[in-house]
Structure formats: structure tokens, C-alpha cells
Amino acid sequence: MPAERRDLTGSVVLVTGAGAGIGAATARQLLEAGARVVLADLDPDRATLVASGHPPEQFLAVGLDVRSPEAARQAVAEAVRRFGRLDSVVCNAGIGVFGGICDYPDDVLQAIVDTNLLGTVWAVRAAVQHFDARAADGAGGGDAGGDVVLVASVAGLGTGGGDEAVYAASKHGQVGLATSLARELRERGIRVSTIAPAAVNTGFADGVGRTEGDPVKDGFLAPDDVASAVVTVLQQPRRMRTALWSMWSMAEQS
């Protein structure tokens, strides 16, 4: 028999950083799976283009700076106003640089931690507050609870390179956050999954340690590889959960 899968048709999923890279690939795959997707990005016009070709009633593009707690709450509120509920949040927005600890100004390093770590905290808090409120009023039905998926990195698992210390620190924080959240939220029916890819062939860090069009990127994971993992954990039956999924391309040494 084929493996059991949850049908995501009609499920409402908010994806941060949905305008490009892994976030865009995830949004597209979720739309193809029938989900209703909230594409949250600093550039909502770019996010709208990601959903091109899908019926407008299936998606909502919203502007979101994940560094703002209020903006995260507003994005969740807009999702609920449009679709009546929120079922999952995919915390994907992230930035990074490659270089030594003294190679970049303070504000660049601050932005990495604020975006990757605190930006995840604010999005998760806003989503969980909605999941809990929905459970309290009995609106969840047979699919009560929710899903929290964090797109972290193998750099957060102790395999960060010598040229990404602050980025690796922010990703270690994400992994630690997810581990504790899973213990906190499991009994409330909220699953927490961490997807930890190695290098992915996107525009990530181009100009700040990576070069656009560098042929070495051809050996990296594709954005759709990571997106497929996100969709897979959301499709798992509610009786199970994937705590951590690390991913490497065949071309990279783990």
C-alpha cells in the first residue's frame, strides 16, 4: 500500500521569505498540493509573482519584516481574515554572510541574528497564539493543533564552516528553539519540525561571500529539494512527526 499522506487541499500555510529561493519553491509546491498559501516577504510584489498562474483565491501575498513582532502578528491576522484560519507556519526567511568575525560591520551581524533567530521566534509566537486560540474555542475540529516548520541549516548542527560564525550561531539558536518548542507544544497537538539543508543553489549570500553564477553552486541542493522536505513533513499523518531532517547534496562532504 502507498504511504499514508495528509491531503493539504484547503490547508492554510504561511511561508516567510516566500519571494525567492527556498521560500518561493515551498510556496509553489504547496500551491500545487492544493494548500492556500500566505506568501510573506519583505517585497510582497515579488511574492505575488511567485504565485502567478494560481487562482487568486488560493493565495495571499503580504509584506513582512520578520524582525518585527507586530508585523508577524499582523501577517497571521491577515491570513485569518482572508482564509478564516491558519494551520501551519514555515519559518524560512533568513540571511547570511561568509567571512571572518571581523569582516562585516556591527549592523550586518545584528541583522543576521535578528532575522534568522528572533525573526523565527516572532513568527512562531504569532502562529502558536492563533493555534491555541482556535483550540480553546473548539474551531480546530479533527485537525486541531498546527504545524511549525523551521528551515534551519546544517551549520546549526555543528558543521558550520570557519567563515560563517555568526550565521552558524543564529542557526544553532533556531535548532535549540525547535527542540524546546517540540517538548512544549506536542501535548497541544502542535508539531515542530526542523529542516536543516546544507548549501542550496539560490542567491543566498551572493556578493557577501558567494559569487552569483559560480559553477560550484551546480553541485548544491536545489531549492525544490528543500521545499519537498517541507511539504513532506506537512503531509505526514497527525500521529507522527519529524523532529529533524538534515539534507546534503551528493557533491558535498558532510
Side-chain angles (χ1 to χ4, degrees):
M1 294 180 61
E4 179 184 343
R5 286 184 170 187
R6 293 174 63 232
D7 183 1
L8 295 182
T9 302
S11 184
V12 182
V13 186
L14 188 153
V15 182
T16 70
I22 295 169
T26 299
R28 291 189 190 101
Q29 289 193 24
L30 287 167
L31 289 165
E32 290 295 330
R36 294 176 290 179
V37 181
V38 181
L39 299 95
D41 196 86
L42 275 171
D43 184 347
D45 292 335
R46 183 173 66 170
T48 299
L49 291 175
V50 169
S52 176
H54 292 274
E57 61 270 18
Q58 195 184 355
F59 70 89
L60 171 67
V62 299
L64 172 62
D65 182 344
V66 295
R67 296 172 296 180
S68 164
E70 179 55 36
R73 289 189 289 269
Q74 182 63 30
V76 170
E78 289 187 41
V80 174
R81 276 196 295 270
R82 175 67 175 273
F83 298 119
R85 59 187 289 144
L86 178 69
D87 300 298
S88 306
V89 61
V90 179
C91 299
N92 162 79
I95 59 173
V97 297
F98 291 91
I101 189 68
C102 298
D103 288 348
Y104 294 94
D106 298 347
D107 61 331
V108 171
L109 303 185
Q110 181 73 58
I112 292 171
V113 177
D114 284 348
T115 301
N116 297 356
L117 181 52
L118 285 177
T120 300
V121 170
W122 307 140
V124 170
R125 274 167 56 92
V128 169
Q129 286 166 351
H130 170 69
F131 298 157
D132 285 346
R134 190 178 67 194
D137 65 18
D143 205 23
D147 273 281
V148 173
V149 182
L150 275 56
V151 179
S153 169
V154 295
L157 305 178
T159 61
D163 58 353
E164 54 180 342
V166 175
Y167 173 76
S170 71
K171 292 297 178 174
H172 271 275
Q174 272 190 316
V175 173
L177 174 70
T179 300
S180 292
L181 279 174
R183 295 180 179 133
E184 174 190 348
L185 301 176
R186 180 180 58 81
E187 292 186 358
R188 279 141 66 183
I190 301 172
R191 302 188 297 187
V192 180
S193 303
T194 302
I195 310 298
V200 183
N201 189 356
T202 68
F204 180 81
D206 282 350
V208 281
R210 284 186 177 160
T211 303
E212 185 177 359
D214 188 338
V216 74
K217 289 185 176 184
D218 294 340
F220 292 173
L221 294 165
D224 275 316
D225 298 331
V226 186
S228 179
V230 173
V231 175
T232 296
V233 299
L234 293 176
Q235 289 176 327
Q236 289 174 330
R238 297 293 305 176
R239 66 175 180 275
M240 66 178 292
R241 60 192 174 96
T242 294
L244 174 64
W245 186 340
S246 62
M247 307 175 66
W248 293 82
S249 74
M250 290 294 286
E252 273 199 289
Q253 178 67 43
S254 62

